[in-house]
Amino acid sequence: MNNNLLLLAGRILLSVLFLVSGAGKIGTGPTFAGMLGHMGLPAPLLLAYLMGLFEIVGGTALVIGVQTRIVGVLLAAWCVLTGVVVHIGAPIDLMKNVALAGGLLVLAATTPGSLALPTTWSRRDRLAAMAPSNATFND
C-alpha cells in the first residue's frame, strides 16, 4: 500500500478522538465544566470551551496535515497530561492516552505525506533532495 495513503489514514484515525471529544466538550460545556469544577480546576466553563477548541483545532490540523510536527507533539503532551490528571485511576484509559501519545510522536517524527496541505514539509523535502548524502537537517 502507498505510504502516503497510510499516513493520511493514520492522521485521520488519530484525529477522530480529538474531533469527537472536542465537539462533545463544546456541546456540553456546562456539564463538562461541572466535572472540571469537581476536580478543583479553575474557571471550569472557560476551561471546558478552551479544551474543546484545542482538541478540534488539533484534530483538524492532523486531518489536513498542517504543522504535524508541532501539533503531534502538543497533542501527545495533552494525552499524557490528561491521562495522568483524569485517567490515573482507570488503567485502560490511561494506557489508551499513552498509546495515542506514542502514535502522535511517531507522526511528529515523520512527514504528513504528500496527501497533506503543502507547508514547510515540501520545502524541507526539496532541501533534503538537494543536500549532499551526508548532510542532516534538524528542525
Side-chain angles (χ1 to χ4, degrees), residues 58 70 97 105 108 110:
I70 295 167
N97 277 40
L105 291 176
T110 64

Side-chain angles (χ1 to χ4, degrees), residues 53-81:
L53 182 64
F54 175 78
E55 291 179 356
I56 289 172
V57 170
T60 302
L62 287 180
V63 169
I64 61 177
V66 173
Q67 298 295 327
T68 53
R69 178 168 299 211
I70 295 167
V71 171
V73 169
L74 289 174
L75 288 175
W78 179 255
C79 288
V80 172
L81 176 68

Side-chain angles (χ1 to χ4, degrees), residues 37-52:
H38 282 272
M39 294 174 63
L41 296 171
L45 186 59
L46 176 63
L47 192 57
Y49 288 128
L50 288 176
M51 290 168 74

Side-chain angles (χ1 to χ4, degrees), residues 88-136:
I88 197 68
I92 298 296
D93 292 335
L94 177 60
M95 286 189 289
K96 175 217 31 130
N97 277 40
V98 170
L100 188 56
L104 289 161
L105 291 176
V106 169
L107 178 63
T110 64
T111 68
S114 66
L115 300 176
L117 284 183
T119 59
T120 57
W121 286 107
S122 59
R123 180 177 162 269
R124 179 179 177 223
D125 292 342
R126 281 194 314 270
L127 289 173
M130 295 184 315
S133 61
N134 63 348
T136 59

